[in-house]
């Protein structure tokens, strides 16, 4: 990739006051001034990969198109974690049947999983590239630009991470920062190790200099990303542990909030809780997916911990001095799940006292060991269990949020609902707070809000004082 483009990291990452970051791009790689559009499905890792891919494209002289219809290059960054997400991609591709003037490309997990079969199902697709091969994107794009068809990047066996010189961040308030890619676990239901490849940590030097650049560009909140973020091990000379890295990112001048997701219970240590307790910049929130409350099912899922071991880790978090909120992911209807085992998951929601749960019905995925297990649960029964569990969790959240009525929360403001005349943002504990204020522009500011009402998914309040600083710091 050429280094002589005149886009600076700052101009691309600066939090804008409007919704979309401004991009001024003239590029050194001449591709005839073509435009691109990326549609992203799935997790935060995918959202951030799309930001990095956009950076690669800008560096090659592409400009962002206002819509898919107007783009010369249309990329789908896909998700295959559940069947429905994967199906959606093929229905999107179907919309371009026979397309010749536009270059269509498929990135991400469906690309990796389906590989060259995508060309058979949708011959108008010209590029298929999995996330473990993104470092090759400039070469692959060159092939496509010189008229290539059926261009692929499907190598999984990599020890490299996707480093870009520029990243075109979409969110002007919270910046994602990858610290580890891939996954070395082998949960029996999960495609991720097959689509994102083996675990690779980035060197702490690269991470910390990116964090410093983000702070200089005006970001105050950083979210560290990884499929198993807390498995981080510094491959560089500093040899930092995950906790060392958390503390170091939190110490970067100008950074006021550091989040990290997703933690694996197996690598979750007391030191993480201690670091949160001692470091105000580390947010009061841990996302710690349990998947099931039954030890037998956890074994079948190959989750590497028991119900009791998981709950012990929760007890460390609950014993902290700061009120750390805990959220989780749960799968219902895993093959062979009995009603009693399902009820163990329901009772674990109470035992853990979760502040939020993402719950899913089990979806069999290609190449996973669970896909060939016997004891499939009928679809209707899976949906009944899901609805039951969600209602139970809704009650838990309603009660937990109600305890915050009357308290004052610091909210990083990230949006405005003009119709309702409300501002919206998140607390350190990741709760959504909607509030009214007389102030004109609060985007990117930290506002103190007195909570007046609560619901299962959000709090409602009133702005009590000015702000406690924000993008430009105080
Ligand atoms: N079926 C249903 N849910 C799944 N997840 C991962 N694989 C599957 C699957 N095959 C869920 C897990 C994971 C979250 C990102 O998606 O709960 O934590
Ligand atoms: Fe999938 Fe398990 Fe790895 Fe998470 S830890 S990405 S659920 S294999």
């Amino acid at each position: 990739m050429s280094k002589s483009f005149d886009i600076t990291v700052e101009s691309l990452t600066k939090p804008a006051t409007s919704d979309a970051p401004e991009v001024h791009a003239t590029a050194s790689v001449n591709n005839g001034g073509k435009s691109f559009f990326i549609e992203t499905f799935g997790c935060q890792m995918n959202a951030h990969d799309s930001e990095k891919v956009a950076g690669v494209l800008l560096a090659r002289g592409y400009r962002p198109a206002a819509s898919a219809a107007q783009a010369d290059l249309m990329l789908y960054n896909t998700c295959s974690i559940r069947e429905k997400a994967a199906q959606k991609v093929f229905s999107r591709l179907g919309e371009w049947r026979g397309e010749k003037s536009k270059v269509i490309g498929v990135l991400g997990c469906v690309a990796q999983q389906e590989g060259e079969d995508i060309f058979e199902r949708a011959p108008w697709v010209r590029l298929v590239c999995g996330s473990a091969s993104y470092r090759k994107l400039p070469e692959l794009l060159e092939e496509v630009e010189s008229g290539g068809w059926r261009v692929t990047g499907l190598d999984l066996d990599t020890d490299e991470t996707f480093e870009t010189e520029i990243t075109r961040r979409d969110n002007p308030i919270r910046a994602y920062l990858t610290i580890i890619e891939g996954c070395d676990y082998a949960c029996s239901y999960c495609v991720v190790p097959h689509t994102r490849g083996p675990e690779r940590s980035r060197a702490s030097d690269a991470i910390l200099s990116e964090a410093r650049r983000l702070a200089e560009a005006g970001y105050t909140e950083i979210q560290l990303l990884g499929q198993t973020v807390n498995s981080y091990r510094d491959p560089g000379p500093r040899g930092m542990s995950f906790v060392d890295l958390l503390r170091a990112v939190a110490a970067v001048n100008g950074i006021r909030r550091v989040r990290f997701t997703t933690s694996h219970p197996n690598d979750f240590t007391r030191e993480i809780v201690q670091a949160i307790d001692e470091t105000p910049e580390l947010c009061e929130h841990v996302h710690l997916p349990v998947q099931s409350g039954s030890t037998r099912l956890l074994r079948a899922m190959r989750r590497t911990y028991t119900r009791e071991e998981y709950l012990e880790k929760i007890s460390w978090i609950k014993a902290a001095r700061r009120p750390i909120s805990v959220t989780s992911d749960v799968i219902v209807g895993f093959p062979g799940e009995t009603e009693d085992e399902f009820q163990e998951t329901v009772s674990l929601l109470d035992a853990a006292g979760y502040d939020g749960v993402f719950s899913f019905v089990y979806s069999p995925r290609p190449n996973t060991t669970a896909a060939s297990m016997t004891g499939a649960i009928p679809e209707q029964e899976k949906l009944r269990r899901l609805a039951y569990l969600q209602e139970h969790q809704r009650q838990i959240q309603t009660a937990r949020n109600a305890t915050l009525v009357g308290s004052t929360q610091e909210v990083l403001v990230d949006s405005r609902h003009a119709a309702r005349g409300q501002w919206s943002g998140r607390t350190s504990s990741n709760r959504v707070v909607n509030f009214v204020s007389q102030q004109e522009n609060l985007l990117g500011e930290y506002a103190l809000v007195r909570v007046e009402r609560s619901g299962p998914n959000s709090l409602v309040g009133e702005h009590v004082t000015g702000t406690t600083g924000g993008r430009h710091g105080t």
Side-chain angles (χ1 to χ4, degrees):
M1 186 198 298
S2 165
K3 288 196 177 167
S4 55
F5 48 83
D6 71 359
I7 311 159
T8 61
V9 171
E10 283 68 30
S11 73
L12 290 163
T13 56
K14 201 170 201 106
T17 41
S18 68
D19 286 344
E22 238 181 286
V23 177
H24 306 282
T26 47
S28 59
V29 182
N30 185 1
N31 72 10
K34 296 203 162 102
S35 64
F36 72 95
F37 195 87
I38 308 179
E39 188 176 358
T40 308
F41 300 86
C43 63
Q44 288 151 325
M45 294 288 284
N46 259 14
H48 188 37
D49 281 346
S50 289
E51 294 177 334
K52 294 191 224 176
V53 170
V56 170
L57 291 170
L58 290 166
R60 293 192 69 76
Y62 286 82
R63 53 197 163 74
S67 67
Q70 288 167 31
D72 300 303
L73 171 64
M74 176 67 214
L75 296 176
Y76 291 96
N77 189 3
T78 62
C79 170
S80 65
I81 196 103
R82 283 167 291 277
E83 200 184 345
K84 259 194 200 142
Q87 279 167 353
K88 206 186 241 173
V89 174
F90 283 102
S91 80
R92 278 290 200 287
L93 289 178
E95 292 167 18
W96 300 112
R97 185 174 299 278
E99 175 70 40
K100 289 206 182 78
S101 59
K102 195 188 292 292
V103 172
I104 313 280
V106 181
L107 310 177
C109 292
V110 174
Q112 190 64 51
Q113 189 179 287
E114 303 292 326
E116 303 199 4
D117 287 354
I118 293 177
F119 298 133
E120 303 304 322
R121 285 178 72 173
W124 52 95
V125 170
R126 285 174 57 177
L127 169 71
V128 168
C129 180
S131 71
S133 302
Y134 286 163
R135 74 204 146 84
K136 285 203 210 134
L137 259 183
E139 294 154 46
L140 302 178
L141 285 166
E142 205 170 312
E143 244 184 283
V144 173
E145 284 156 11
S146 47
W149 281 81
R150 297 190 164 219
V151 176
T152 55
L154 294 168
D155 206 2
L156 249 197
D157 190 18
T158 177
D159 54 6
E160 293 189 47
T161 52
F162 180 33
E163 303 289 336
T164 53
E165 289 180 50
I166 52 165
T167 299
R168 191 224 187 203
R169 289 187 158 80
D170 290 326
N171 185 334
I173 310 290
R174 173 188 294 181
Y176 292 136
L177 201 171
T178 310
I179 66 164
I180 178 170
E181 290 178 10
C183 176
D184 274 354
Y185 284 94
C187 301
S188 60
Y189 51 81
C190 185
V191 283
V192 169
H194 310 282
T195 59
R196 285 189 164 270
E199 179 186 298
R200 290 100 63 198
S201 291
R202 281 176 80 193
S204 59
D205 282 343
I207 295 169
L208 289 168
S209 61
E210 190 171 347
R212 280 191 290 269
R213 283 204 311 271
L214 289 168
E216 280 160 20
Y219 281 98
T220 60
E221 179 170 317
I222 288 182
Q223 177 152 7
L224 305 178
L225 293 182
Q227 299 294 339
T228 57
V229 75
N230 57 331
S231 311
Y232 178 83
R233 246 177 284 133
D234 186 2
R238 295 211 223 182
M240 283 191 169
S241 68
F242 176 62
V243 168
D244 294 338
L245 184 72
L246 280 183
R247 291 182 190 269
V249 175
V252 169
N253 220 344
I255 295 304
R256 293 183 57 167
R257 284 186 175 182
V258 179
R259 302 184 183 279
F260 54 92
T261 197
T262 292
S263 295
H264 193 292
N266 195 54
D267 301 312
F268 193 83
T269 58
R270 279 178 190 276
E271 286 70 36
I272 298 175
V273 180
Q274 202 181 339
I276 296 175
D277 246 350
E278 291 168 2
T279 320
E281 291 83 5
L282 295 179
C283 286
E284 295 168 349
H285 174 217
V286 176
H287 183 59
L288 198 64
V290 68
Q291 313 299 358
S292 169
S294 147
T295 296
R296 190 194 74 82
L297 275 188
L298 288 170
R299 204 172 304 126
M301 290 176 166
R302 298 220 205 121
R303 284 296 287 179
T304 73
Y305 52 84
T306 63
R307 173 190 175 99
E308 289 69 31
E309 283 162 350
Y310 178 87
L311 284 174
E312 193 192 347
K313 298 193 179 205
I314 295 289
S315 74
W316 303 340
I317 301 173
K318 301 283 169 175
R321 282 189 300 276
R322 292 175 73 191
I324 302 172
S325 77
V326 190
T327 55
S328 190
D329 294 348
V330 164
I331 298 175
V332 302
F334 187 79
E337 183 186 66
T338 63
E339 176 62 22
D340 283 355
E341 286 165 343
F342 166 64
Q343 287 300 336
E344 284 188 77
T345 302
V346 175
S347 73
L348 182 127
L349 303 182
D350 293 308
Y354 288 129
D355 298 285
V357 171
F358 297 99
S359 46
F360 310 99
V361 296
Y362 168 72
S363 166
R365 306 308 297 127
N367 307 318
T368 60
T369 52
S372 52
M373 286 180 183
T374 55
I377 308 296
E379 215 51 38
Q380 230 184 339
E381 175 59 13
K382 286 191 209 171
L383 291 171
R384 184 196 67 81
R385 290 182 190 180
L386 184 72
Y388 182 99
L389 181 132
Q390 288 180 341
E391 173 53 26
H392 194 82
Q393 178 57 29
R394 208 178 73 89
Q395 290 171 21
I396 295 173
Q397 277 170 225
T398 304
R400 292 185 67 78
N401 285 345
T403 65
L404 296 172
V405 172
S407 70
T408 298
Q409 301 286 328
E410 188 184 60
V411 176
L412 172 53
V413 184
D414 57 28
S415 55
R416 171 159 174 79
H417 303 286
R420 282 191 259 148
Q422 275 183 335
W423 295 94
S424 186
R426 286 182 186 260
T427 62
S428 167
S429 67
N430 215 30
R431 286 185 173 83
V432 171
V433 182
N434 300 309
F435 65 99
V436 286
S437 171
Q438 305 310 320
Q439 246 165 281
E440 262 184 19
N441 191 2
L442 286 170
L443 278 184
E445 305 290 339
Y446 289 78
L448 288 176
V449 176
R450 216 185 87 86
V451 179
E452 291 167 338
R453 279 178 290 130
S454 67
N457 298 314
S458 61
L459 307 172
V460 182
E462 193 180 356
H463 192 189
V464 284
T465 60
T467 66
T468 54
R471 284 195 297 275
H472 310 295
T474 47

PDB file of all heavy atoms in Angstrom, residues 81-82 189-190 289 291 329-331 360-365, ligand 1:
ATOM      1  N   ILE A  81     -22.795 -16.649  12.416  1.00  0.00           N
ATOM      2  CA  ILE A  81     -22.890 -17.236  13.756  1.00  0.00           C
ATOM      3  C   ILE A  81     -24.162 -18.061  13.914  1.00  0.00           C
ATOM      4  O   ILE A  81     -24.156 -19.105  14.540  1.00  0.00           O
ATOM      5  CB  ILE A  81     -22.763 -16.146  14.863  1.00  0.00           C
ATOM      6  CG1 ILE A  81     -22.473 -16.769  16.225  1.00  0.00           C
ATOM      7  CG2 ILE A  81     -23.986 -15.248  14.945  1.00  0.00           C
ATOM      8  CD1 ILE A  81     -21.066 -16.643  16.638  1.00  0.00           C
ATOM      9  N   ARG A  82     -25.255 -17.582  13.312  1.00  0.00           N
ATOM     10  CA  ARG A  82     -26.501 -18.359  13.264  1.00  0.00           C
ATOM     11  C   ARG A  82     -26.966 -18.425  11.820  1.00  0.00           C
ATOM     12  O   ARG A  82     -26.613 -17.579  11.006  1.00  0.00           O
ATOM     13  CB  ARG A  82     -27.572 -17.716  14.162  1.00  0.00           C
ATOM     14  CG  ARG A  82     -27.336 -17.993  15.640  1.00  0.00           C
ATOM     15  CD  ARG A  82     -28.192 -17.129  16.524  1.00  0.00           C
ATOM     16  NE  ARG A  82     -27.773 -15.757  16.466  1.00  0.00           N
ATOM     17  CZ  ARG A  82     -26.771 -15.225  17.185  1.00  0.00           C
ATOM     18  NH1 ARG A  82     -26.128 -15.974  18.037  1.00  0.00           N
ATOM     19  NH2 ARG A  82     -26.432 -13.969  17.051  1.00  0.00           N
ATOM     20  N   TYR A 189     -20.706 -25.582  19.448  1.00  0.00           N
ATOM     21  CA  TYR A 189     -21.778 -24.994  18.624  1.00  0.00           C
ATOM     22  C   TYR A 189     -21.261 -23.886  17.705  1.00  0.00           C
ATOM     23  O   TYR A 189     -22.006 -23.360  16.887  1.00  0.00           O
ATOM     24  CB  TYR A 189     -22.848 -24.369  19.548  1.00  0.00           C
ATOM     25  CG  TYR A 189     -22.249 -23.437  20.577  1.00  0.00           C
ATOM     26  CD1 TYR A 189     -21.922 -22.125  20.244  1.00  0.00           C
ATOM     27  CD2 TYR A 189     -21.937 -23.887  21.862  1.00  0.00           C
ATOM     28  CE1 TYR A 189     -21.308 -21.281  21.154  1.00  0.00           C
ATOM     29  CE2 TYR A 189     -21.323 -23.059  22.778  1.00  0.00           C
ATOM     30  CZ  TYR A 189     -21.013 -21.760  22.411  1.00  0.00           C
ATOM     31  OH  TYR A 189     -20.387 -20.938  23.309  1.00  0.00           O
ATOM     32  N   CYS A 190     -19.982 -23.516  17.832  1.00  0.00           N
ATOM     33  CA  CYS A 190     -19.555 -22.203  17.322  1.00  0.00           C
ATOM     34  C   CYS A 190     -18.701 -22.275  16.052  1.00  0.00           C
ATOM     35  O   CYS A 190     -17.738 -23.045  15.976  1.00  0.00           O
ATOM     36  CB  CYS A 190     -18.773 -21.481  18.415  1.00  0.00           C
ATOM     37  SG  CYS A 190     -18.332 -19.797  17.945  1.00  0.00           S
ATOM     38  N   PRO A 289     -20.157 -14.167  28.921  1.00  0.00           N
ATOM     39  CA  PRO A 289     -21.150 -15.130  28.429  1.00  0.00           C
ATOM     40  C   PRO A 289     -21.071 -16.476  29.135  1.00  0.00           C
ATOM     41  O   PRO A 289     -19.994 -17.069  29.237  1.00  0.00           O
ATOM     42  CB  PRO A 289     -20.803 -15.292  26.949  1.00  0.00           C
ATOM     43  CG  PRO A 289     -20.100 -14.028  26.589  1.00  0.00           C
ATOM     44  CD  PRO A 289     -19.318 -13.653  27.831  1.00  0.00           C
ATOM     45  N   GLN A 291     -23.615 -19.040  28.496  1.00  0.00           N
ATOM     46  CA  GLN A 291     -24.220 -19.955  27.503  1.00  0.00           C
ATOM     47  C   GLN A 291     -25.239 -20.919  28.090  1.00  0.00           C
ATOM     48  O   GLN A 291     -26.291 -21.140  27.500  1.00  0.00           O
ATOM     49  CB  GLN A 291     -23.168 -20.746  26.699  1.00  0.00           C
ATOM     50  CG  GLN A 291     -22.012 -19.915  26.134  1.00  0.00           C
ATOM     51  CD  GLN A 291     -22.410 -18.824  25.151  1.00  0.00           C
ATOM     52  OE1 GLN A 291     -23.573 -18.677  24.823  1.00  0.00           O
ATOM     53  NE2 GLN A 291     -21.455 -18.008  24.719  1.00  0.00           N
ATOM     54  N   ASP A 329     -24.329 -13.922  27.487  1.00  0.00           N
ATOM     55  CA  ASP A 329     -24.994 -14.534  26.339  1.00  0.00           C
ATOM     56  C   ASP A 329     -25.476 -15.915  26.775  1.00  0.00           C
ATOM     57  O   ASP A 329     -24.770 -16.602  27.528  1.00  0.00           O
ATOM     58  CB  ASP A 329     -24.018 -14.772  25.170  1.00  0.00           C
ATOM     59  CG  ASP A 329     -23.485 -13.493  24.554  1.00  0.00           C
ATOM     60  OD1 ASP A 329     -24.015 -12.410  24.854  1.00  0.00           O
ATOM     61  OD2 ASP A 329     -22.520 -13.594  23.767  1.00  0.00           O
ATOM     62  N   VAL A 330     -26.644 -16.313  26.265  1.00  0.00           N
ATOM     63  CA  VAL A 330     -27.216 -17.604  26.620  1.00  0.00           C
ATOM     64  C   VAL A 330     -27.764 -18.269  25.355  1.00  0.00           C
ATOM     65  O   VAL A 330     -28.346 -17.602  24.509  1.00  0.00           O
ATOM     66  CB  VAL A 330     -28.357 -17.410  27.659  1.00  0.00           C
ATOM     67  CG1 VAL A 330     -29.235 -18.642  27.760  1.00  0.00           C
ATOM     68  CG2 VAL A 330     -27.791 -17.062  29.018  1.00  0.00           C
ATOM     69  N   ILE A 331     -27.557 -19.580  25.255  1.00  0.00           N
ATOM     70  CA  ILE A 331     -28.150 -20.351  24.145  1.00  0.00           C
ATOM     71  C   ILE A 331     -29.196 -21.294  24.739  1.00  0.00           C
ATOM     72  O   ILE A 331     -28.894 -22.006  25.703  1.00  0.00           O
ATOM     73  CB  ILE A 331     -27.079 -21.180  23.409  1.00  0.00           C
ATOM     74  CG1 ILE A 331     -26.031 -20.244  22.784  1.00  0.00           C
ATOM     75  CG2 ILE A 331     -27.720 -22.066  22.347  1.00  0.00           C
ATOM     76  CD1 ILE A 331     -24.865 -20.972  22.126  1.00  0.00           C
ATOM     77  N   PHE A 360     -30.288 -16.564  22.645  1.00  0.00           N
ATOM     78  CA  PHE A 360     -30.448 -17.072  21.278  1.00  0.00           C
ATOM     79  C   PHE A 360     -30.973 -18.497  21.315  1.00  0.00           C
ATOM     80  O   PHE A 360     -30.652 -19.241  22.244  1.00  0.00           O
ATOM     81  CB  PHE A 360     -29.084 -17.114  20.575  1.00  0.00           C
ATOM     82  CG  PHE A 360     -28.307 -15.828  20.675  1.00  0.00           C
ATOM     83  CD1 PHE A 360     -27.291 -15.682  21.625  1.00  0.00           C
ATOM     84  CD2 PHE A 360     -28.601 -14.747  19.863  1.00  0.00           C
ATOM     85  CE1 PHE A 360     -26.572 -14.505  21.732  1.00  0.00           C
ATOM     86  CE2 PHE A 360     -27.894 -13.561  19.957  1.00  0.00           C
ATOM     87  CZ  PHE A 360     -26.880 -13.436  20.896  1.00  0.00           C
ATOM     88  N   VAL A 361     -31.727 -18.874  20.285  1.00  0.00           N
ATOM     89  CA  VAL A 361     -32.029 -20.304  20.141  1.00  0.00           C
ATOM     90  C   VAL A 361     -30.859 -20.947  19.412  1.00  0.00           C
ATOM     91  O   VAL A 361     -30.249 -20.335  18.529  1.00  0.00           O
ATOM     92  CB  VAL A 361     -33.348 -20.583  19.370  1.00  0.00           C
ATOM     93  CG1 VAL A 361     -34.544 -20.040  20.125  1.00  0.00           C
ATOM     94  CG2 VAL A 361     -33.310 -20.039  17.961  1.00  0.00           C
ATOM     95  N   TYR A 362     -30.570 -22.163  19.827  1.00  0.00           N
ATOM     96  CA  TYR A 362     -29.458 -22.885  19.210  1.00  0.00           C
ATOM     97  C   TYR A 362     -29.700 -23.049  17.715  1.00  0.00           C
ATOM     98  O   TYR A 362     -30.783 -23.413  17.289  1.00  0.00           O
ATOM     99  CB  TYR A 362     -29.281 -24.260  19.878  1.00  0.00           C
ATOM    100  CG  TYR A 362     -28.351 -25.139  19.087  1.00  0.00           C
ATOM    101  CD1 TYR A 362     -26.990 -24.864  19.070  1.00  0.00           C
ATOM    102  CD2 TYR A 362     -28.840 -26.211  18.329  1.00  0.00           C
ATOM    103  CE1 TYR A 362     -26.128 -25.642  18.308  1.00  0.00           C
ATOM    104  CE2 TYR A 362     -27.983 -26.981  17.566  1.00  0.00           C
ATOM    105  CZ  TYR A 362     -26.631 -26.689  17.555  1.00  0.00           C
ATOM    106  OH  TYR A 362     -25.791 -27.450  16.784  1.00  0.00           O
ATOM    107  N   SER A 363     -28.655 -22.790  16.932  1.00  0.00           N
ATOM    108  CA  SER A 363     -28.724 -22.920  15.479  1.00  0.00           C
ATOM    109  C   SER A 363     -27.562 -23.808  15.025  1.00  0.00           C
ATOM    110  O   SER A 363     -26.403 -23.477  15.282  1.00  0.00           O
ATOM    111  CB  SER A 363     -28.610 -21.504  14.891  1.00  0.00           C
ATOM    112  OG  SER A 363     -28.343 -21.509  13.524  1.00  0.00           O
ATOM    113  N   PRO A 364     -27.857 -24.967  14.428  1.00  0.00           N
ATOM    114  CA  PRO A 364     -26.755 -25.863  14.006  1.00  0.00           C
ATOM    115  C   PRO A 364     -25.921 -25.212  12.919  1.00  0.00           C
ATOM    116  O   PRO A 364     -26.477 -24.653  11.976  1.00  0.00           O
ATOM    117  CB  PRO A 364     -27.483 -27.097  13.441  1.00  0.00           C
ATOM    118  CG  PRO A 364     -28.937 -26.891  13.711  1.00  0.00           C
ATOM    119  CD  PRO A 364     -29.175 -25.457  14.024  1.00  0.00           C
ATOM    120  N   ARG A 365     -24.602 -25.268  13.056  1.00  0.00           N
ATOM    121  CA  ARG A 365     -23.707 -24.616  12.097  1.00  0.00           C
ATOM    122  C   ARG A 365     -22.779 -25.625  11.433  1.00  0.00           C
ATOM    123  O   ARG A 365     -22.356 -26.589  12.081  1.00  0.00           O
ATOM    124  CB  ARG A 365     -22.860 -23.521  12.795  1.00  0.00           C
ATOM    125  CG  ARG A 365     -23.630 -22.496  13.550  1.00  0.00           C
ATOM    126  CD  ARG A 365     -24.748 -21.817  12.753  1.00  0.00           C
ATOM    127  NE  ARG A 365     -24.324 -21.054  11.615  1.00  0.00           N
ATOM    128  CZ  ARG A 365     -24.820 -21.221  10.364  1.00  0.00           C
ATOM    129  NH1 ARG A 365     -25.729 -22.131  10.112  1.00  0.00           N
ATOM    130  NH2 ARG A 365     -24.388 -20.488   9.369  1.00  0.00           N
TER     131      ARG A 365
HETATM  132  N1  LIG B   1     -26.493 -20.997  17.850  1.00  0.00           N
HETATM  133  C1  LIG B   1     -27.010 -20.029  18.636  1.00  0.00           C
HETATM  134  N2  LIG B   1     -26.268 -19.082  19.229  1.00  0.00           N
HETATM  135  C2  LIG B   1     -24.940 -19.105  19.026  1.00  0.00           C
HETATM  136  N3  LIG B   1     -23.957 -18.318  19.473  1.00  0.00           N
HETATM  137  C3  LIG B   1     -22.791 -18.754  18.969  1.00  0.00           C
HETATM  138  N4  LIG B   1     -22.994 -19.828  18.188  1.00  0.00           N
HETATM  139  C4  LIG B   1     -24.329 -20.063  18.206  1.00  0.00           C
HETATM  140  C5  LIG B   1     -25.148 -21.053  17.615  1.00  0.00           C
HETATM  141  N5  LIG B   1     -24.651 -22.010  16.829  1.00  0.00           N
HETATM  142  C6  LIG B   1     -24.175 -17.224  20.416  1.00  0.00           C
HETATM  143  C7  LIG B   1     -23.372 -17.421  21.701  1.00  0.00           C
HETATM  144  C8  LIG B   1     -22.277 -16.400  21.551  1.00  0.00           C
HETATM  145  C9  LIG B   1     -22.983 -15.309  20.785  1.00  0.00           C
HETATM  146  C10 LIG B   1     -22.090 -14.328  20.124  1.00  0.00           C
HETATM  147  O1  LIG B   1     -23.735 -16.009  19.831  1.00  0.00           O
HETATM  148  O2  LIG B   1     -24.209 -17.103  22.790  1.00  0.00           O
HETATM  149  O3  LIG B   1     -21.772 -15.954  22.792  1.00  0.00           O
END
